[in-house]
Amino acid sequence: MRCVVSLTSIPSRVGDIAPTINSLLQQDRKPDNIYVWLPQAYSRAKGSVGVLPEVLQRVDVRQCVDHGPFTKLRPALEAETAPDTLIVTA
C-alpha cells in the first residue's frame, strides 16, 4: 500500500516546517511521498516562495487553490488517484 503525507504552509512560514519534514523522513516507515501545498492566494499576495530550504527540495512542493483546513487533503486526493493509497495529513 502506498502511503503519502500531505501538509500545507504559506510562503512566509515555509522555512519553519523543516523540523516537521525531517521528522517525517526519519520515520521507520518512510512515506512514499510528502506533499507540501502552498495556496496560490498567499503566493500571489506575498510574492514567490524563493529559494526553498534544502529539506524541502526532497519533497513534492506544489501550489493549489486555498480551501482552508481542507487544503491539506483535497489536492492530495486529486494527485493520488489509486484507491488503496493511504493519505496522512499533518
Side-chain angles (χ1 to χ4, degrees), residues 14-63:
V14 77
D16 297 331
I17 64 172
T20 301
I21 300 299
N22 282 326
S23 178
L24 292 168
L25 292 171
Q26 293 175 17
Q27 298 297 309
D28 289 337
R29 170 59 164 96
K30 293 178 181 34
D32 295 299
N33 196 10
I34 299 173
Y35 292 102
V36 176
W37 302 100
L38 301 176
Q40 293 168 345
Y42 283 102
S43 297
R44 283 195 303 270
K46 303 290 184 187
S48 66
V49 175
V51 177
L52 294 174
E54 184 178 329
V55 70
L56 287 183
Q57 296 177 24
R58 299 171 54 194
V59 301
D60 195 348
V61 179
R62 299 185 184 187
Q63 289 191 323

